[in-house]
Amino acid sequence: MALAINIRADNSSATEIERLWDQVAAFEVEPSMRALGYRPHFTFAIYDTPSISEKTAWDAMLTAVAGEAQLRIEFKQVRWFEGSPLVLWADPTSNGALTRIHSAISAAIDPVHCRPHYRPGTWTPHYARHAHRRRTAR
């Protein structure tokens, strides 16, 4: 099972994205994130190797967010990734905090262990909405 490092919106800031999820659900074949009970989120890394433990991921995330205040993120558009299943995502405006967090995680855990789309140089910050399950470092 994959191990993901992400941040979730667990408060009212997620309301607009969840409203969009509900509208899009009419076109889905697979269960939506709402049905899976998972809040809107940014994923910084996903590891498929057992050599990256939950403790390693948690420690990397804690180090990455040290000194960060509440994140304020604006979005410029809704986009989608090519392929199946349909993955809609909210495209954030340039955000230094997201970049710093991603860079710190990549510095703490060798990106060679990370899925290619989440490695430095290929990672696209996005507020995801897609149907899959993931284990989250807590």
Side-chain angles (χ1 to χ4, degrees), residues 42-123:
F42 282 99
T43 300
F44 295 102
I46 300 178
Y47 306 99
D48 291 308
T49 175
S51 64
I52 305 302
S53 70
E54 287 187 33
K55 180 177 180 352
T56 299
W58 181 243
D59 290 346
M61 185 63 173
L62 287 178
T63 299
V65 299
E68 293 289 345
Q70 179 179 8
L71 294 177
R72 297 183 84 61
I73 299 168
E74 294 181 17
F75 299 95
K76 56 186 173 186
Q77 62 187 332
V78 174
R79 301 180 66 189
W80 65 90
F81 288 124
E82 295 293 326
S84 181
L86 174 65
V87 177
L88 293 178
W89 54 282
D91 187 4
T93 58
S94 181
N95 187 293
L98 292 175
T99 302
R100 280 191 306 276
I101 293 168
H102 182 262
S103 295
I105 290 167
S106 296
I109 302 173
D110 188 342
V112 74
H113 300 293
C114 188
R115 288 186 185 173
H117 291 346
Y118 295 92
R119 293 178 185 168
T122 59
W123 178 67

Side-chain angles (χ1 to χ4, degrees), residues 9 11-20 22 34 39-40 127:
N11 56 29
S12 62
S13 67
T15 303
E16 288 301 311
I17 294 293
E18 290 176 327
R19 189 172 57 78
L20 178 61
D22 293 339
R34 171 88 79 182
R39 302 301 305 264
Y127 210 41

